[in-house]
Amino acid sequence: MRTIIICIVALLFSGPAAAAHHYTVHVDAALDTLRVTARFASPVQSVRARHGSAGRFLLEAADCETGLPLERRGRTLTSPQTSISCIDYVVDLRGAAAAERRNEGLDPDNVVVSPAVWLWQPRTAAESRVIVRFLLGDGVDVSVPWQTVGDIEHTYEIPPSPRSARAPAAFGRFIHVHQEPSAGMPRIALLRSPGNVDDDAIIDWILDTVGYVSLAYGRFPNPGAHVVVMPVGKNGWRSDSPVPFGRVVRDGGESIELFIDKRRPIEDFYDDWTATHEFSHLMLPFLQSSHRWISEGFAQYYQNVLLARAGRYEVQRAWQKLYEGFERGRKSRPELSANEASRRGVGAATMKIYWSGAIVALMADVELRERSGGRESLDDVLDRLQRCCLPAADRWTGPQLFGKLDSLVEEPVFMPLYQQYADKEGFPDIAPLFRRLGVDIEDGRVALHDDAELASVRDAITRSASDAGARAFIDRSRAQQAKRSEP
Ligand SMILES: [Zn+2]
């Protein structure tokens, strides 16, 4: 077996026809440095790093054929020779980690540093394949959002992807849950931090949340995703939430960063919606920022619906939360349309952005269910979207997404809603739809009535998972807990 692996590695790293840039990254056991050798698919004029601070952490860099040092200007490296086929360089990993605030709360034997700081690439990298192989010091593990290459240990290809921020990469001794990609579950890296914590419970909570999101259409939207869970230090985010901050990062694949307050009891995590919200984002492609009300809104809608289906929220509570959210959206910046509110630089419009999209998601879901007599729902359409188009390699516009969704159903639903609401100031009137769904509001409290015209549609939206496939998925994700690797 070992011989075969070595042969494949040799093929990957010296194969004559492979039009790829090949990186070998040595990570030392102390996590002090990354020693990198990069061989390019063809000679290049220069290489650069994406992060402005990368030059500060570059300890040395040389042309590996001539041995001559490379010249650095800012974050660009050039050779005194005209072109470069191969470079050796050393990055101060420890220094780069110290410059990233997220490492403050972590044990020093694990760090998170973005490839934007340590991966020096030719400008042509976007057109060529980039393959990165890690050679790890004793006890060191690595977790990156990239695709694994065959069975070759710690070897990845950077997939084409839009860029929303800088991807995280974890190095060191952390808890790493990963299985065959066919298992359909994302990889999880739980970073270690000082103090007592029940790591098993945190991993179970993540796996359960993966299961909740699978209740939309029976599987996780991107099994190749990378979940990085980082405990915050005591001077960390000022927040009452057990998950003070979470986000999806699209950059060479999809990462979900979750910052957690480990001082909180595990029940608080189960009562928090952040992870469900972030995972729900993976059901849509990355949208350009002026249409982010759609991505935020769909995630907002689904976090409530899915937590009800999973039994974490009482059904009444889910509708209460939707009602209160719509009210906050209605009161937020009524002079703006959803598209205007989403534009960069427009402040104080968060509620407008999130809940404008959520109400459109609800309207689309109800229309699909009503007109099909319950045979079709938003879940089904997003299932088809995942099969055809996700994870997407590029950034989409709102109309592009809604046009695509309409192409997946018999009669358009989405573009008509976009045309009606996207550029209209104010907020859609929820009252008529709530009345038909049997969602009555009395003194700000939601009361559900089963004699309403669309009460069965309302029930179906939050029905607890009877879908055997999804339940099995949750059970399987829990079973993975037994297979995790530990430092
Ligand atoms: Zn979001």
Side-chain angles (χ1 to χ4, degrees):
M1 187 59 188
R2 177 152 292 261
T3 329
I4 297 170
I5 290 173
I6 290 167
C7 289
I8 297 170
V9 171
L11 211 72
L12 270 170
F13 280 77
S14 61
H21 304 310
H22 289 282
Y23 287 73
T24 305
V25 180
H26 293 254
V27 189
D28 68 51
L31 305 179
D32 286 334
T33 59
L34 300 177
R35 291 182 174 272
V36 184
T37 299
R39 293 182 185 281
F40 304 121
S42 53
V44 300
Q45 296 308 309
S46 62
V47 293
R48 83 197 275 279
R50 282 169 48 214
H51 196 288
S53 74
R56 266 205 291 150
F57 306 113
L58 186 71
L59 299 176
E60 51 190 83
D63 183 316
C64 57
E65 283 175 351
T66 63
L68 293 173
L70 298 174
E71 285 170 10
R72 181 172 75 81
R73 198 166 293 161
R75 49 180 155 150
T76 301
L77 291 173
T78 51
S79 169
Q81 310 296 318
T82 50
S83 61
I84 318 167
S85 304
C86 169
I87 59 172
D88 285 322
Y89 64 91
V90 182
V91 174
D92 175 7
L93 180 63
R94 189 60 70 186
E100 291 199 31
R101 184 184 163 198
R102 55 179 149 196
N103 288 289
E104 269 172 23
L106 304 184
D107 268 346
D109 67 353
N110 56 190
V111 296
V112 180
V113 179
S114 175
V117 179
W118 54 263
L119 197 67
W120 291 75
Q121 290 185 279
R123 284 182 194 278
T124 55
E127 294 105 56
S128 302
R129 296 169 63 208
V130 177
I131 292 172
V132 182
R133 179 185 176 206
F134 294 96
L135 298 175
L136 303 170
D138 255 5
V140 172
D141 200 352
V142 62
S143 188
V144 287
W146 307 330
Q147 286 163 0
T148 49
V149 175
D151 281 339
I152 310 167
E153 214 177 18
H154 309 308
T155 303
Y156 302 88
E157 177 164 354
I158 304 181
S161 156
R163 254 179 211 164
S164 66
R166 299 182 193 104
F171 300 100
R173 296 156 191 89
F174 51 88
I175 295 186
H176 199 184
V177 182
H178 51 103
Q179 49 268 316
E180 300 292 305
S182 58
M185 266 160 276
R187 285 164 281 164
I188 303 165
L190 169 58
L191 280 295
R192 287 187 173 274
S193 67
N196 291 329
V197 65
D198 188 346
D199 291 326
D200 285 351
I202 294 288
I203 294 286
D204 276 347
W205 162 67
I206 299 283
L207 290 171
D208 284 345
T209 308
V210 165
Y212 303 159
V213 176
S214 80
L215 296 175
Y217 45 75
R219 61 186 189 286
F220 194 68
N222 179 9
H226 174 229
V227 183
V228 182
V229 187
M230 290 165 280
V232 296
K234 57 179 182 299
N235 302 320
W237 313 80
R238 278 169 209 273
S239 166
D240 286 339
S241 169
V243 191
F245 184 66
R247 65 172 180 172
V248 175
V249 177
R250 265 100 172 193
D251 176 22
E254 294 183 319
S255 303
I256 302 95
E257 296 181 334
L258 296 172
F259 291 86
I260 60 165
D261 182 347
K262 294 206 303 189
R263 294 167 301 184
R264 300 289 288 267
I266 193 66
E267 306 82 62
D268 289 6
F269 289 89
Y270 278 97
D271 205 45
D272 186 86
W273 48 261
T274 314
T276 309
H277 174 98
E278 300 310 332
F279 292 173
S280 295
H281 270 305
L282 305 184
M283 290 196 274
L284 297 186
F286 179 47
L287 295 185
Q288 72 177 39
S289 65
S290 56
H291 298 132
R292 70 193 172 96
W293 60 274
I294 299 170
S295 36
E296 291 306 345
F298 275 53
Q300 203 72 7
Y301 176 64
Y302 266 104
Q303 81 192 37
N304 288 293
V305 162
L306 293 170
L307 287 169
R309 288 183 198 172
R312 303 306 317 185
Y313 285 177
E314 299 285 341
V315 169
Q316 197 268 351
R317 182 181 176 200
W319 287 103
Q320 182 75 34
K321 281 180 163 281
L322 287 170
Y323 162 70
E324 288 172 5
F326 295 148
E327 280 300 290
R328 288 197 293 276
R330 188 173 62 76
K331 289 173 189 157
S332 164
R333 304 299 298 269
E335 76 284 10
L336 298 179
S337 70
N339 276 347
E340 284 169 337
S342 303
R343 245 184 247 139
R344 276 184 200 285
V346 175
T350 305
M351 293 300 141
K352 174 90 183 191
I353 293 166
Y354 279 62
W355 291 101
S356 298
I359 199 167
V360 165
L362 172 64
M363 289 191 286
D365 201 5
V366 171
E367 189 174 338
L368 286 161
R369 290 171 188 271
E370 183 183 6
R371 77 181 188 191
S372 68
R375 287 186 311 280
E376 193 174 53
S377 68
L378 186 56
D379 302 335
D380 299 313
V381 183
L382 295 184
D383 181 350
R384 290 167 208 155
L385 177 74
Q386 196 280 335
R387 287 176 198 280
C388 78
C389 307
L390 298 183
D394 48 3
R395 189 164 58 159
W396 291 26
T397 66
Q400 188 184 355
L401 170 67
F402 277 9
K404 185 66 189 180
L405 295 178
D406 277 336
S407 78
L408 301 172
V409 294
E410 262 173 42
E411 292 258 338
V413 174
F414 297 92
M415 272 315 282
L417 286 168
Y418 184 88
Q419 279 149 357
Q420 199 175 348
Y421 295 112
D423 290 309
K424 192 177 171 189
E425 64 189 36
F427 198 80
D429 182 9
I430 192 64
L433 183 60
F434 265 12
R435 210 168 299 125
R436 296 180 68 217
L437 289 168
V439 180
D440 285 4
I441 313 300
E442 290 148 19
D443 298 329
R445 301 298 304 165
V446 159
L448 303 178
H449 295 287
D450 290 336
D451 52 357
E453 180 193 358
L454 297 181
S456 64
V457 166
R458 184 199 71 219
D459 265 355
I461 288 173
T462 54
R463 184 162 300 144
S464 61
S466 54
D467 178 69
R471 273 291 155 203
F473 189 96
I474 291 182
D475 293 343
R476 214 166 57 234
S477 70
R478 289 294 288 258
Q480 291 301 324
Q481 168 62 348
K483 296 187 191 168
R484 65 180 203 175
S485 65
E486 275 192 81

